[in-house]
mmCIF file of all heavy atoms in Angstrom:
data_model
loop_
_atom_site.group_PDB
_atom_site.id
_atom_site.type_symbol
_atom_site.label_atom_id
_atom_site.label_comp_id
_atom_site.label_asym_id
_atom_site.label_seq_id
_atom_site.Cartn_x
_atom_site.Cartn_y
_atom_site.Cartn_z
ATOM 1 N N SER S 20 52.521 43.716 -41.059
ATOM 2 C CA SER S 20 52.294 43.225 -42.420
ATOM 3 C C SER S 20 50.785 43.402 -42.741
ATOM 4 O O SER S 20 50.468 43.859 -43.842
ATOM 5 C CB SER S 20 52.684 41.671 -42.579
ATOM 6 O OG SER S 20 53.902 41.445 -42.142
ATOM 7 N N MET S 21 49.977 42.927 -41.866
ATOM 8 C CA MET S 21 48.560 42.984 -42.131
ATOM 9 C C MET S 21 48.046 44.428 -42.430
ATOM 10 O O MET S 21 47.400 44.735 -43.352
ATOM 11 C CB MET S 21 47.726 42.491 -40.920
ATOM 12 C CG MET S 21 46.479 41.965 -41.239
ATOM 13 S SD MET S 21 45.718 41.224 -39.836
ATOM 14 C CE MET S 21 45.395 42.876 -38.884
ATOM 15 N N LEU S 22 48.478 45.349 -41.443
ATOM 16 C CA LEU S 22 48.084 46.792 -41.600
ATOM 17 C C LEU S 22 48.626 47.389 -42.816
ATOM 18 O O LEU S 22 47.945 48.264 -43.271
ATOM 19 C CB LEU S 22 48.497 47.494 -40.283
ATOM 20 C CG LEU S 22 47.845 47.059 -38.933
ATOM 21 C CD1 LEU S 22 48.370 47.841 -37.787
ATOM 22 C CD2 LEU S 22 46.208 47.148 -39.068
ATOM 23 N N THR S 23 49.717 47.033 -43.260
ATOM 24 C CA THR S 23 50.291 47.570 -44.449
ATOM 25 C C THR S 23 49.583 47.051 -45.687
ATOM 26 O O THR S 23 49.125 47.892 -46.497
ATOM 27 C CB THR S 23 51.810 47.211 -44.675
ATOM 28 O OG1 THR S 23 52.486 47.389 -43.340
ATOM 29 C CG2 THR S 23 52.512 47.944 -45.735
ATOM 30 N N ILE S 24 49.342 45.776 -45.756
ATOM 31 C CA ILE S 24 48.545 45.258 -46.905
ATOM 32 C C ILE S 24 47.212 45.795 -47.083
ATOM 33 O O ILE S 24 46.821 46.033 -48.176
ATOM 34 C CB ILE S 24 48.509 43.632 -46.731
ATOM 35 C CG1 ILE S 24 49.818 43.020 -46.688
ATOM 36 C CG2 ILE S 24 47.569 43.014 -47.837
ATOM 37 C CD1 ILE S 24 50.678 42.873 -48.007
ATOM 38 N N ALA S 25 46.729 46.105 -45.925
ATOM 39 C CA ALA S 25 45.268 46.855 -46.008
ATOM 40 C C ALA S 25 45.213 48.043 -46.888
ATOM 41 O O ALA S 25 44.153 48.432 -47.233
ATOM 42 C CB ALA S 25 44.805 47.084 -44.518
ATOM 43 N N PHE S 26 46.438 48.723 -46.936
ATOM 44 C CA PHE S 26 46.436 49.960 -47.813
ATOM 45 C C PHE S 26 46.271 49.641 -49.452
ATOM 46 O O PHE S 26 46.102 50.579 -50.126
ATOM 47 C CB PHE S 26 47.561 50.810 -47.622
ATOM 48 C CG PHE S 26 47.521 51.549 -46.288
ATOM 49 C CD1 PHE S 26 48.181 51.145 -45.105
ATOM 50 C CD2 PHE S 26 46.718 52.726 -46.220
ATOM 51 C CE1 PHE S 26 48.009 51.884 -43.919
ATOM 52 C CE2 PHE S 26 46.734 53.409 -44.967
ATOM 53 C CZ PHE S 26 47.247 53.058 -43.921
ATOM 54 N N PHE S 27 46.416 48.477 -49.645
ATOM 55 C CA PHE S 27 46.469 48.183 -51.175
ATOM 56 C C PHE S 27 45.308 47.584 -51.733
ATOM 57 O O PHE S 27 44.715 46.624 -51.168
ATOM 58 C CB PHE S 27 47.766 47.282 -51.467
ATOM 59 C CG PHE S 27 48.932 47.893 -51.194
ATOM 60 C CD1 PHE S 27 49.576 47.924 -49.949
ATOM 61 C CD2 PHE S 27 49.812 48.524 -52.251
ATOM 62 C CE1 PHE S 27 50.691 48.602 -49.662
ATOM 63 C CE2 PHE S 27 50.908 49.147 -51.973
ATOM 64 C CZ PHE S 27 51.440 49.216 -50.713
ATOM 65 N N PHE S 28 44.834 48.090 -52.731
ATOM 66 C CA PHE S 28 43.531 47.547 -53.462
ATOM 67 C C PHE S 28 43.717 46.922 -54.814
ATOM 68 O O PHE S 28 42.864 46.744 -55.519
ATOM 69 C CB PHE S 28 42.549 48.782 -53.534
ATOM 70 C CG PHE S 28 41.903 49.051 -52.254
ATOM 71 C CD1 PHE S 28 42.389 50.022 -51.360
ATOM 72 C CD2 PHE S 28 40.752 48.414 -51.889
ATOM 73 C CE1 PHE S 28 41.783 50.261 -50.169
ATOM 74 C CE2 PHE S 28 40.125 48.586 -50.630
ATOM 75 C CZ PHE S 28 40.662 49.573 -49.830
ATOM 76 N N ASN S 29 44.950 46.736 -55.132
ATOM 77 C CA ASN S 29 45.271 45.995 -56.397
ATOM 78 C C ASN S 29 45.356 44.448 -55.995
ATOM 79 O O ASN S 29 45.725 44.070 -54.904
ATOM 80 C CB ASN S 29 46.573 46.374 -57.095
ATOM 81 C CG ASN S 29 47.811 45.954 -56.256
ATOM 82 O OD1 ASN S 29 48.063 44.694 -56.184
ATOM 83 N ND2 ASN S 29 48.584 46.837 -55.616
ATOM 84 N N PRO S 30 44.965 43.759 -57.010
ATOM 85 C CA PRO S 30 44.985 42.198 -56.695
ATOM 86 C C PRO S 30 46.252 41.525 -56.405
ATOM 87 O O PRO S 30 46.438 40.566 -55.865
ATOM 88 C CB PRO S 30 44.222 41.573 -57.891
ATOM 89 C CG PRO S 30 44.075 42.753 -58.969
ATOM 90 C CD PRO S 30 44.560 43.975 -58.315
ATOM 91 N N TRP S 31 47.393 42.300 -57.110
ATOM 92 C CA TRP S 31 48.696 41.505 -57.006
ATOM 93 C C TRP S 31 49.312 41.464 -55.445
ATOM 94 O O TRP S 31 49.920 40.519 -55.282
ATOM 95 C CB TRP S 31 49.618 42.159 -58.027
ATOM 96 C CG TRP S 31 49.135 41.981 -59.473
ATOM 97 C CD1 TRP S 31 48.398 42.789 -60.310
ATOM 98 C CD2 TRP S 31 49.162 40.733 -60.173
ATOM 99 N NE1 TRP S 31 48.128 42.240 -61.424
ATOM 100 C CE2 TRP S 31 48.533 40.970 -61.344
ATOM 101 C CE3 TRP S 31 49.721 39.520 -59.849
ATOM 102 C CZ2 TRP S 31 48.492 39.958 -62.369
ATOM 103 C CZ3 TRP S 31 49.613 38.412 -60.904
ATOM 104 C CH2 TRP S 31 49.011 38.668 -62.040
ATOM 105 N N THR S 32 49.214 42.644 -54.945
ATOM 106 C CA THR S 32 49.836 42.767 -53.679
ATOM 107 C C THR S 32 49.429 41.562 -52.655
ATOM 108 O O THR S 32 50.290 40.845 -52.188
ATOM 109 C CB THR S 32 49.628 44.042 -52.965
ATOM 110 O OG1 THR S 32 50.251 45.102 -53.823
ATOM 111 C CG2 THR S 32 50.276 44.146 -51.737
ATOM 112 N N PRO S 33 48.044 41.412 -52.445
ATOM 113 C CA PRO S 33 47.695 40.365 -51.486
ATOM 114 C C PRO S 33 48.044 38.973 -52.122
ATOM 115 O O PRO S 33 48.467 37.981 -51.340
ATOM 116 C CB PRO S 33 46.277 40.535 -51.363
ATOM 117 C CG PRO S 33 45.785 41.441 -52.435
ATOM 118 C CD PRO S 33 46.920 42.319 -52.763
ATOM 119 N N HIS S 100 39.112 45.133 -58.005
ATOM 120 C CA HIS S 100 38.786 45.267 -56.388
ATOM 121 C C HIS S 100 38.400 43.914 -55.803
ATOM 122 O O HIS S 100 38.779 43.673 -54.706
ATOM 123 C CB HIS S 100 37.733 46.358 -56.317
ATOM 124 C CG HIS S 100 38.429 47.682 -56.112
ATOM 125 N ND1 HIS S 100 37.568 48.796 -56.356
ATOM 126 C CD2 HIS S 100 39.568 48.112 -55.776
ATOM 127 C CE1 HIS S 100 38.382 49.923 -56.064
ATOM 128 N NE2 HIS S 100 39.587 49.366 -55.657
ATOM 129 N N SER S 103 41.058 41.789 -55.417
ATOM 130 C CA SER S 103 41.924 42.243 -54.386
ATOM 131 C C SER S 103 41.600 41.838 -53.088
ATOM 132 O O SER S 103 42.239 41.330 -52.104
ATOM 133 C CB SER S 103 42.177 43.587 -54.539
ATOM 134 O OG SER S 103 42.974 44.174 -53.411
ATOM 135 N N LEU S 104 40.264 42.099 -52.774
ATOM 136 C CA LEU S 104 39.576 41.757 -51.384
ATOM 137 C C LEU S 104 39.647 40.326 -51.092
ATOM 138 O O LEU S 104 39.894 39.891 -49.985
ATOM 139 C CB LEU S 104 38.191 42.350 -51.383
ATOM 140 C CG LEU S 104 38.039 43.906 -51.243
ATOM 141 C CD1 LEU S 104 36.735 44.310 -50.848
ATOM 142 C CD2 LEU S 104 39.170 44.418 -50.336
ATOM 143 N N ARG S 107 42.962 39.276 -50.377
ATOM 144 C CA ARG S 107 43.340 39.831 -48.903
ATOM 145 C C ARG S 107 42.844 38.857 -47.847
ATOM 146 O O ARG S 107 43.570 38.574 -47.025
ATOM 147 C CB ARG S 107 42.659 41.280 -48.883
ATOM 148 C CG ARG S 107 43.217 41.871 -47.635
ATOM 149 C CD ARG S 107 42.368 43.202 -47.282
ATOM 150 N NE ARG S 107 42.851 44.247 -48.212
ATOM 151 C CZ ARG S 107 42.409 45.597 -47.948
ATOM 152 N NH1 ARG S 107 41.533 45.825 -46.921
ATOM 153 N NH2 ARG S 107 42.781 46.585 -48.819
ATOM 154 N N LEU S 240 57.147 41.767 -47.475
ATOM 155 C CA LEU S 240 56.182 42.803 -47.400
ATOM 156 C C LEU S 240 56.494 43.752 -48.533
ATOM 157 O O LEU S 240 55.671 44.186 -49.330
ATOM 158 C CB LEU S 240 56.215 43.454 -46.088
ATOM 159 C CG LEU S 240 55.142 44.405 -45.691
ATOM 160 C CD1 LEU S 240 53.799 43.805 -45.814
ATOM 161 C CD2 LEU S 240 55.285 45.071 -44.386
ATOM 162 N N LEU S 241 57.738 44.237 -48.579
ATOM 163 C CA LEU S 241 58.180 45.340 -49.584
ATOM 164 C C LEU S 241 57.964 44.618 -51.005
ATOM 165 O O LEU S 241 57.460 45.466 -51.842
ATOM 166 C CB LEU S 241 59.578 45.626 -49.411
ATOM 167 C CG LEU S 241 59.819 46.543 -48.119
ATOM 168 C CD1 LEU S 241 61.343 46.799 -47.843
ATOM 169 C CD2 LEU S 241 59.013 47.765 -48.123
ATOM 170 N N SER S 243 55.958 42.363 -52.067
ATOM 171 C CA SER S 243 54.507 42.422 -52.378
ATOM 172 C C SER S 243 53.980 43.690 -52.766
ATOM 173 O O SER S 243 53.250 43.850 -53.766
ATOM 174 C CB SER S 243 53.640 41.693 -51.197
ATOM 175 O OG SER S 243 54.294 40.584 -50.683
ATOM 176 N N CYS S 244 54.253 44.718 -51.859
ATOM 177 C CA CYS S 244 53.808 46.093 -52.152
ATOM 178 C C CYS S 244 54.281 46.594 -53.440
ATOM 179 O O CYS S 244 53.456 46.971 -54.247
ATOM 180 C CB CYS S 244 54.251 46.954 -50.985
ATOM 181 S SG CYS S 244 53.448 46.500 -49.334
ATOM 182 N N PHE S 245 55.541 46.580 -53.588
ATOM 183 C CA PHE S 245 56.033 47.221 -54.838
ATOM 184 C C PHE S 245 55.824 46.358 -56.078
ATOM 185 O O PHE S 245 55.461 46.887 -57.149
ATOM 186 C CB PHE S 245 57.643 47.558 -54.678
ATOM 187 C CG PHE S 245 57.701 48.688 -53.777
ATOM 188 C CD1 PHE S 245 58.447 48.403 -52.402
ATOM 189 C CD2 PHE S 245 57.299 49.881 -53.922
ATOM 190 C CE1 PHE S 245 58.651 49.558 -51.656
ATOM 191 C CE2 PHE S 245 57.485 51.016 -53.016
ATOM 192 C CZ PHE S 245 58.151 50.764 -51.791
ATOM 193 N N GLY S 246 55.872 45.084 -55.863
ATOM 194 C CA GLY S 246 55.637 44.116 -57.011
ATOM 195 C C GLY S 246 54.205 44.324 -57.470
ATOM 196 O O GLY S 246 53.867 44.249 -58.553
ATOM 197 N N GLY S 247 53.440 44.494 -56.465
ATOM 198 C CA GLY S 247 51.870 44.549 -56.816
ATOM 199 C C GLY S 247 51.667 45.818 -57.613
ATOM 200 O O GLY S 247 50.916 45.865 -58.666
ATOM 201 N N ILE S 248 52.306 47.032 -57.128
ATOM 202 C CA ILE S 248 52.215 48.248 -57.843
ATOM 203 C C ILE S 248 52.766 48.228 -59.408
ATOM 204 O O ILE S 248 52.149 48.555 -60.234
ATOM 205 C CB ILE S 248 52.880 49.423 -57.071
ATOM 206 C CG1 ILE S 248 52.276 49.626 -55.844
ATOM 207 C CG2 ILE S 248 52.883 50.645 -57.988
ATOM 208 C CD1 ILE S 248 52.900 50.553 -54.870
ATOM 209 N N PHE M 134 38.764 49.752 -42.772
ATOM 210 C CA PHE M 134 39.937 49.849 -43.147
ATOM 211 C C PHE M 134 40.710 48.511 -43.453
ATOM 212 O O PHE M 134 41.147 48.256 -44.731
ATOM 213 C CB PHE M 134 40.843 50.533 -42.098
ATOM 214 C CG PHE M 134 42.255 50.514 -42.253
ATOM 215 C CD1 PHE M 134 42.871 51.152 -43.472
ATOM 216 C CD2 PHE M 134 43.170 49.779 -41.386
ATOM 217 C CE1 PHE M 134 44.336 50.991 -43.525
ATOM 218 C CE2 PHE M 134 44.470 49.649 -41.463
ATOM 219 C CZ PHE M 134 45.053 50.309 -42.661
ATOM 220 N N VAL M 135 40.653 47.434 -42.542
ATOM 221 C CA VAL M 135 41.396 46.235 -42.719
ATOM 222 C C VAL M 135 40.845 45.464 -43.918
ATOM 223 O O VAL M 135 41.481 44.752 -44.609
ATOM 224 C CB VAL M 135 41.602 45.531 -41.518
ATOM 225 C CG1 VAL M 135 42.120 44.155 -41.620
ATOM 226 C CG2 VAL M 135 42.359 46.332 -40.483
ATOM 227 N N GLY M 137 38.826 46.421 -46.129
ATOM 228 C CA GLY M 137 38.653 47.092 -47.458
ATOM 229 C C GLY M 137 37.214 47.352 -47.803
ATOM 230 O O GLY M 137 36.742 47.144 -49.076
#
Side-chain angles (χ1 to χ4, degrees):
Chain S
S20 306
M21 204 184 73
L22 293 178
T23 312
I24 298 286
F26 280 103
F27 291 83
F28 283 90
N29 73 68
W31 294 105
T32 297
H100 268 161
S103 170
L104 289 193
R107 190 188 280 191
L240 190 62
L241 292 175
S243 309
C244 294
F245 291 111
I248 294 169
Chain M
F134 167 65
V135 173

